[in-house]
Amino acid sequence: MTPNPPEKPPLDSKPRLRYDAQLATSIEAEWQDRWDREHTFWAPNPSGSLGDGFEALKDRRSVYVLDMFPYPSGAGLHVGHPLGYIGTDVYARFQRMTGANVLHAMGYDAFGLPAEQYAVQTGQHPRVTTEANIANMRRQLRALGLGHDSRRGVATTDVDYYRWTQWIFLQIFNSYYDDALDRARPITDLVAEFESGERDARSLTDGLAWADLDDLKRRILVDSFRLAYVGEAPVNWCPGLGTVLANEEVTADGRSERGNFPVIRRPLKQWMMRITSYADRLIDDLDLLDWTDSIKLMQRNWIGKSIGAEVTFGVELHESLEIKVFTTRPDTLFGATYMVLAPEHELVDALVPSEWPGSQLDDAHSEIPLAWRGVFGAEVSPPEAVRRYRAFASSKSELERQAEGTVKTGVFTGAFAVNPVNDERIPIFIADYVLAGYGTGAIMAVPAHDDRDFAFAREFDLAITPVVEPDEKWLSENGVSSSDASNWIEAFTGVGVAMASANSEISLDGLDTPNAKAAITAWLEAEGLGHATTTYKLRDWLFSRQRYWGEPFPIVYDETGLPIALPAEQLPVELPEVSDFAPRISEDPEALPEPPLSRAGDWLEVELDLAGPAWAGLGGGPKRYRREVNTMPQWAGSCWYYLRYLDPQNVDALVDAGVERYWMDSARGDGVHAAGGVDLYVGGVEHAVLHLLYARFWHKVLFDLGHVSTVEPFQRLFNQGYIQAYAFTDERGVYVEASEVVERDGVWYLGDEVVNREYGKMGKSLKNVVTPDDIYNDYGADTLRLYEMFMGPLDASRPWSTTDIVGVHRFLQRLWRNVINEETGEVNVSETPADDESLRLMNRTILAVRSDMESMSFNTAIARLFELNNHLTTVVAANGSAPREIAEGITLMVAPLAPHIAEELWSRLGHPETLTYEPFPVADETLLVVDSIEVPIQVNGKLRSRVTVSVSADAATLEAAARADEKVAELIEGATVRKVIAVPGRLVNFVLG
RNA sequence: GCCCGGAUGGCGGAAUCGGCAGACGCGACGGACUCAAACUCCGUUGCCCGAAAGGGUGUGCGGGUUCAAGUCCCGCUCCGGGCACCA
């Protein structure tokens, strides 16, 4: 296949077939059409509707290469977006040439807020905008020559796709977590256990057995076990977006990650997913994955596992009250000198006395230090002080809370707790440094060994009692002693030897921290005062949103107000048409948010005849139900798209089991890849906790229920860097069009005006966007691909520089000219064998390029190809033609990086078939052997000369050769050679005395 | 505050195990071609001294280990990212 020569004669004296933008883009368009026509990148499945052609490839290994699911933005792509897509395409093409059946596809994460907000403003249905955006993005990506299997490019908004998203939701809803087996099981198993008495319900139902429960109580009990459940909990309500958000979607300063709107905490009934049941497996299985340590660490930190103990404290004058605290340092229990409850803690009201205890109002005789009463003074009663403090604490925004840093506030409640190990009476405070949502919402404060408690104790003049002997280094650095903490300037939080920790039954004194923890925990358990326990920062995943443009839940409610799952046969639940896409936000901050679907008229109610057990309200004949009006979050669709790529047309299952195993399980069992899953997953680091945690969770549920064969979805994760760009501001500080700025002598000018250079993301607001369309118009797609891969390592961020592109463009031009006569279009290769030097260089190049391709070091692979091409240029200049074996070798090696020009050259070199499945060149070992090498000679570690010796030269030979070198001889003459280091194949170093 | 990652020419970046720092590209400079320019091709290019030969110096800063350090160790600075009272 050859392109038609340009029809018009060239305007100037430019050779007719010079590889310029015009020729490049015409070659590219023709090859893109041919790849489509010939289904070049269709990866056959082992069976099913996409199984055609598998027989021919059945002996190949399977490789699944995946890009993170893009959102089809209305703004289109800039050159930063395709960086990862080009990287995966190069990798995928290399894999095909080294004998793999490669699955590489691209779909669209198309539900989401921007299309909906646009709809709210314009009345345009989000589906219309979404489809237009997808079409534009497809066009832009196609022009890059990405080898995607177009049959697999699903969009989350396709009804055929979200039908299966809903189906997965049903699986999760209809499951519970069996803690004993440590996996999810069908909820029917749980019901069977209750019915048979195998599982005792009584501890959960005020002592009633399953048989004694009425239908409603049975449903509530069973619902409380489901992995997807409706829970009432403080959630992140974002009035600016009119919806609730997951913890992961809220930034540290209490704003929405999208849109940067304020987020407030309020209790609401919402759908939750029991991801916390998987916390341990989500941490442990990280060990099986080829991910960077930093991403693994971010996931571990987010899950936030803490191993410690729960300890029960009594309350003075309240025999019936018990306060449970969580601590990771039970060994410091003897050092607890006060206790703190979160201001919202449920026991606060019960234990606060109406008056300050005893005679404390009289400062002269008070046993209560003045400081304890905090800011409100002595004339305020405890309930009023608590009320005022709560008001003060809840009025603070997250930002204010942070701004205050380590300044601790709080108020004494007037009540005392009793330390169970020594019966000491310790004051109970409320303070907002203790969080209601973590642990038990209460702590024992050990100021000697905890920074926060130390700061609070100093603020409130509370006792600081050391119970762990600090190490000498700490004591001397701080200039203090372990016996008296009065002049300590910080807490000792390290491990050490326990001291002053004994009662009549147990002594921790002399034990190191781990042993002291074990001893006290055992004692607490024996005494019934506490037990070992583990807590997590991870909360259950808030799964409902008050939006229109998302997946409807396959859930209806009956008259009890409890949810009922629709049977899978009734899927999909399609989004109804509505006229108003905006969530309604009431002026009343306490009012419930009103999702757009709650105004969807007829859709809201449905008459169904649902089969099932009577206790669950089913099987009673046709009945009217009300639909769930929330929709799923955008993460839902992106939690499993990689599974649908495998089998996108399957109407019977989300993915066929055999197909799933073929692609997903292939990476296992080679001794390195323990978990299986996608062979290579490339995307930005911004999904480190959100998408990657949710997807792993869903995958594990599907694994537990037998729908997928691997424990993890993504075996190898690669985080690509970002392409950033310079932006320029004028003297008013206003951004100016970056493409019009020029540099003269290190100063930047827009016209004659000096402008200021900044550096940041590419975007409309900085006026520094460069689009792929711009670049392929000016240079062609191969040049763009090559430049993006050449700029630096794929995982590093780097600045875009349009001026640097000419380097790679010149490379392609030179390659073209080495093979094709620019004037005549004739192939300019010779059939005579290449000279020895050229062959050796090519084989060294093959070796290096192969290894660089495998490690995705595309920048250095390209550098090696530059060198080979530059050498070939000199050969062509000398001989008038390129040796065929070199021309073909370099063409094949360039193919993964710049596939269009490579296909065109390959075709012109006389090969009718695409080179997509040609074997990648293999280095000839015999041509890699060298017999002599140049070795550096150092004197006192400084490079002074070089000698050429045989590769096999041993240390003595090497030293002799070095001594024979004229320059070296001169330098060591007369000096005492104290030592000679001669490393064969490396260097010689003479150390003079 | 804590935890990660990074710092190499004018710029983007190379450099297996500690063994010739600066591959490759851009830019700059010089030359060829051209009436001229662009394109293309050839050459030079870390910095300092020197006409040259050559010498000195050099991988954020300060120490150290070593025959030898961009690479290892200790102490900092700055930049990027994550977490942020998680008991």
Side-chain angles (χ1 to χ4, degrees):
Chain A
M1 141 124 209
T2 53
N4 300 322
E7 289 176 14
K8 285 182 195 163
L11 295 171
D12 50 24
S13 59
K14 177 180 73 100
R16 295 196 316 138
L17 282 176
R18 168 152 295 170
Y19 184 82
D20 58 9
Q22 192 192 349
L23 180 60
T25 50
S26 79
I27 288 171
E28 286 162 6
E30 291 195 39
W31 279 97
Q32 284 157 15
D33 289 346
R34 177 165 166 191
W35 292 332
D36 277 353
R37 209 163 52 237
E38 298 184 352
H39 306 153
T40 305
F41 303 110
W42 285 17
N45 278 348
S47 64
S49 64
L50 306 188
D52 286 353
F54 184 74
E55 210 36 40
L57 301 182
K58 72 176 195 305
D59 294 330
R60 290 174 165 247
R61 64 183 188 278
S62 76
V63 170
Y64 187 4
V65 177
L66 184 68
D67 299 281
M68 281 189 188
F69 216 24
Y71 178 77
S73 154
L77 297 179
H78 62 63
V79 291
H81 292 116
L83 180 67
Y85 308 153
I86 296 169
T88 50
D89 188 54
V90 175
Y91 186 79
R93 286 173 181 273
F94 176 70
Q95 291 295 324
R96 285 189 195 97
M97 295 179 78
T98 53
N101 182 20
V102 178
L103 197 166
H104 193 203
M106 179 71 73
Y108 297 89
D109 188 14
F111 277 126
L113 209 49
E116 181 174 304
Q117 285 173 332
Y118 188 73
V120 169
Q121 287 160 22
T122 64
Q124 169 105 285
H125 196 285
R127 181 170 295 284
V128 177
T129 347
T130 302
E131 283 172 0
N133 292 349
I134 289 176
N136 184 45
M137 193 156 159
R138 281 220 167 96
R139 176 192 64 76
Q140 287 188 301
L141 292 178
R142 185 179 185 276
L144 286 168
L146 303 176
H148 296 149
D149 183 339
S150 54
R151 302 166 301 172
R152 302 175 187 263
V154 298
T156 52
T157 46
D158 297 341
V159 177
D160 285 343
Y161 181 87
Y162 74 67
R163 170 194 172 186
W164 290 104
T165 309
Q166 293 170 337
W167 183 87
I168 294 170
F169 178 86
L170 289 181
Q171 304 308 305
I172 299 170
F173 179 78
N174 286 321
S175 304
Y176 75 109
Y177 203 81
D178 185 325
D179 292 319
L181 297 181
D182 207 16
R183 65 177 181 86
R185 294 174 64 189
I187 200 84
T188 48
D189 290 2
L190 178 77
V191 173
E193 285 185 2
F194 280 138
E195 284 175 342
S196 70
E198 188 187 340
R199 182 185 283 259
D200 194 347
R202 280 175 297 180
S203 65
L204 306 161
T205 57
D206 299 328
L208 293 173
W210 176 262
D212 301 328
L213 293 173
D214 62 27
D215 289 348
L216 189 64
K217 287 210 171 85
R218 285 181 177 178
R219 272 177 75 180
I220 292 169
L221 175 66
V222 171
D223 284 354
S224 74
F225 277 82
R226 296 180 187 275
L227 292 185
Y229 62 97
V230 178
E232 172 128 30
V235 299
N236 305 298
W237 166 240
C238 179
L241 293 172
T243 186
V244 296
L245 298 171
N247 289 345
E248 290 81 357
E249 295 171 295
V250 180
T251 61
D253 57 350
R255 303 182 81 89
S256 62
E257 196 154 75
R258 269 180 184 266
N260 203 33
F261 295 106
V263 170
I264 57 171
R265 302 279 295 176
R266 59 173 291 190
L268 275 180
K269 249 189 187 171
Q270 294 291 330
W271 280 97
M272 309 290 286
M273 290 238 169
R274 210 176 294 281
I275 191 171
T276 50
S277 292
Y278 283 83
D280 276 325
R281 285 167 64 189
L282 289 168
I283 289 176
D284 295 343
D285 290 351
L286 288 171
D287 292 337
L288 307 175
L289 300 176
D290 304 325
W291 294 15
T292 60
D293 288 340
S294 70
I295 296 276
K296 289 185 182 183
L297 195 69
M298 282 161 74
Q299 292 225 340
R300 283 201 184 92
N301 288 344
W302 189 264
I303 296 167
K305 181 177 183 171
S306 291
I307 298 167
E310 196 172 281
V311 185
T312 305
F313 282 65
V315 182
E316 195 183 58
L317 307 175
H318 292 273
E319 289 288 314
S320 62
L321 290 186
E322 289 183 336
I323 302 174
K324 293 186 190 314
V325 303
F326 173 73
T327 176
T328 55
R329 291 295 298 271
D331 60 303
T332 62
L333 195 43
F334 285 89
T337 56
Y338 67 103
M339 173 180 273
V340 185
L341 306 189
E344 309 92 316
H345 195 283
E346 56 181 8
L347 291 180
V348 172
D349 291 327
L351 56 77
V352 172
S354 56
E355 295 301 332
W356 297 112
S359 59
Q360 288 88 0
L361 287 180
D362 174 1
D363 287 337
H365 302 95
S366 174
E367 51 181 293
I368 310 283
L370 202 56
W372 290 14
R373 291 185 218 128
V375 289
F376 306 116
E379 63 278 9
V380 171
S381 69
E384 178 60 12
V386 166
R387 198 195 61 75
R388 289 196 194 178
Y389 183 72
R390 281 176 167 166
F392 161 77
S394 66
S395 70
K396 280 198 287 185
S397 72
E398 292 289 331
L399 259 183
E400 287 166 332
R401 220 172 266 231
Q402 282 168 60
E404 281 163 21
T406 54
V407 177
K408 299 279 183 291
T409 61
V411 68
F412 177 47
T413 60
F416 288 84
V418 181
N419 188 335
V421 292
N422 54 14
D423 291 332
E424 227 165 82
R425 153 174 208 270
I426 59 175
I428 303 173
F429 284 74
I430 59 171
D432 65 359
Y433 84 91
V434 173
L435 308 174
Y438 182 79
T440 61
I443 61 154
M444 63 174 204
V446 185
H449 305 296
D450 181 279
D451 294 327
R452 297 149 301 183
D453 297 344
F454 185 89
F456 189 86
R458 280 282 190 258
E459 200 75 32
F460 285 82
D461 211 6
L462 289 152
I464 297 171
T465 309
V467 292
V468 179
E469 177 81 39
D471 54 74
E472 289 300 328
K473 184 167 170 258
W474 186 89
L475 289 171
S476 61
E477 273 176 14
N478 285 283
V480 295
S481 80
S482 62
S483 54
D484 175 17
S486 61
N487 58 348
W488 283 18
I489 50 166
E490 62 173 14
F492 173 71
T493 58
V495 295
V497 176
M499 57 184 261
S501 296
N503 61 27
S504 57
E505 292 171 32
I506 181 161
S507 171
L508 306 180
D509 294 346
L511 295 178
D512 63 17
T513 300
N515 283 314
K517 281 183 184 177
I520 191 68
T521 307
W523 184 81
L524 289 167
E525 266 177 55
E527 298 290 312
L529 295 168
H531 55 90
T533 188
T534 302
T535 65
Y536 303 87
K537 271 171 66 182
L538 183 70
R539 307 280 78 159
D540 276 346
W541 175 17
L542 178 78
F543 193 72
S544 40
R545 300 290 184 277
Q546 290 71 51
R547 289 192 190 147
Y548 174 75
W549 195 227
E551 299 87 347
F553 282 76
I555 289 288
V556 294
Y557 296 90
D558 65 7
E559 69 287 350
T560 65
L562 297 176
I564 293 174
L566 292 171
E569 313 82 72
Q570 294 198 17
L571 301 181
V573 177
E574 289 198 47
L575 262 180
E577 294 303 316
V578 297
S579 52
D580 176 6
F581 304 106
R584 198 157 293 170
I585 305 156
S586 169
E587 296 294 308
D588 176 3
E590 296 299 307
L592 294 172
E594 190 184 283
L597 290 187
S598 66
R599 302 188 296 271
D602 293 346
W603 180 86
L604 285 176
E605 295 219 349
V606 60
E607 186 167 292
L608 298 166
D609 185 0
L610 298 174
W615 63 264
L618 302 169
K623 212 163 122 180
R624 287 197 76 73
Y625 297 92
R626 190 169 44 80
R627 289 193 191 274
E628 171 63 62
V629 293
N630 287 295
T631 54
M632 299 187 199
Q634 196 177 356
W635 311 108
S638 60
C639 265
W640 73 282
Y641 69 103
Y642 59 94
L643 293 172
R644 195 59 181 173
Y645 282 180
L646 302 177
D647 203 4
Q649 298 168 353
N650 195 328
V651 292
D652 302 317
L654 85 158
V655 56
D656 173 79
V659 169
E660 187 270 337
R661 265 197 310 279
Y662 175 76
W663 292 111
M664 294 287 284
D665 207 19
S666 59
R668 260 198 312 159
D670 65 2
V672 182
H673 300 90
V678 172
D679 295 279
L680 175 67
Y681 192 25
V682 175
V685 72
E686 74 273 19
H687 291 112
V689 286
L690 292 151
H691 159 64
L692 287 171
L693 201 60
Y694 298 149
R696 293 179 65 215
F697 163 53
W698 275 33
H699 193 91
K700 285 182 183 302
V701 178
L702 291 172
F703 173 78
D704 286 353
L705 299 175
H707 300 299
V708 297
S709 62
T710 67
V711 294
E712 285 284 335
F714 314 118
Q715 177 63 54
R716 179 177 177 202
L717 175 70
F718 188 96
N719 295 111
Q720 100 253 0
Y722 293 98
I723 292 181
Q724 297 188 292
Y726 293 109
F728 300 88
T729 50
D730 63 18
E731 56 184 5
R732 297 165 299 164
V734 175
Y735 285 101
V736 300
E737 191 54 50
S739 58
E740 289 162 18
V741 172
V742 293
E743 190 234 310
R744 288 193 290 271
D745 301 324
V747 182
W748 288 272
Y749 295 91
L750 178 69
D752 292 328
E753 190 192 354
V754 175
V755 291
N756 178 41
R757 190 171 79 155
E758 297 175 11
Y759 182 56
K761 279 186 182 165
M762 245 184 217
K764 260 189 280 186
S765 57
L766 300 190
K767 290 196 181 168
N768 61 352
V769 173
V770 180
T771 69
D773 304 62
D774 296 336
I775 304 303
Y776 31 76
N777 286 338
D778 290 349
Y779 298 97
D782 280 334
T783 297
L784 174 61
R785 290 172 59 110
L786 206 56
Y787 174 62
E788 294 216 0
M789 293 300 100
F790 184 61
M791 291 166 82
L794 197 58
D795 56 1
S797 293
R798 58 317 265 291
W800 178 263
S801 169
T802 300
T803 56
D804 288 0
I805 294 175
V806 293
V808 292
H809 188 65
R810 284 205 275 255
F811 162 78
L812 293 177
Q813 223 165 42
R814 212 172 295 154
L815 172 64
W816 177 264
R817 192 166 44 236
N818 282 336
V819 181
I820 306 292
N821 183 316
E822 287 186 338
E823 302 291 345
T824 65
E826 276 166 25
V827 177
N828 193 28
V829 296
S830 79
E831 306 300 328
T832 51
D835 63 282
D836 190 60
E837 191 197 347
S838 299
L839 279 178
R840 284 177 181 276
L841 176 60
M842 184 165 84
N843 277 276
R844 284 202 305 277
T845 306
I846 291 169
L847 197 71
V849 169
R850 270 188 169 257
S851 123
D852 286 347
M853 287 277 185
E854 254 145 43
S855 62
M856 298 206 294
S857 308
F858 303 127
N859 55 330
T860 49
I862 293 166
R864 298 289 85 79
L865 292 167
F866 266 103
E867 287 173 325
L868 180 59
N869 193 41
N870 289 344
H871 173 79
L872 183 59
T873 304
T874 65
V875 171
V876 171
N879 303 345
S881 65
R884 174 172 286 273
E885 52 197 317
I886 309 289
E888 296 202 340
I890 194 169
T891 299
L892 290 172
M893 284 193 278
V894 163
L897 295 152
H900 310 89
I901 188 175
E903 289 271 28
E904 184 66 21
L905 290 174
W906 189 245
S907 157
R908 285 173 181 251
L909 283 163
H911 304 280
E913 295 298 317
T914 170
L915 51 57
T916 305
Y917 296 93
E918 282 301 316
F920 199 84
V922 179
D924 178 348
E925 295 287 332
T926 63
L927 287 165
L928 294 169
V929 176
V930 287
D931 36 49
S932 67
I933 47 166
E934 196 181 56
V935 172
I937 312 298
Q938 297 179 342
V939 176
N940 283 339
K942 286 185 179 167
L943 179 71
R944 293 301 177 188
S945 186
R946 297 185 175 86
V947 292
T948 301
V949 295
S950 153
V951 252
S952 56
D954 61 12
T957 317
L958 202 53
E959 183 182 334
R963 283 181 185 277
D965 182 78
E966 202 177 300
K967 206 170 154 194
V968 174
E970 194 179 307
L971 279 161
I972 59 179
E973 164 133 30
T976 316
V977 177
R978 207 149 48 83
K979 197 171 175 185
V980 181
I981 318 287
V983 184
R986 284 288 184 197
L987 89 168
V988 183
N989 187 9
F990 292 93
V991 186
L992 305 184

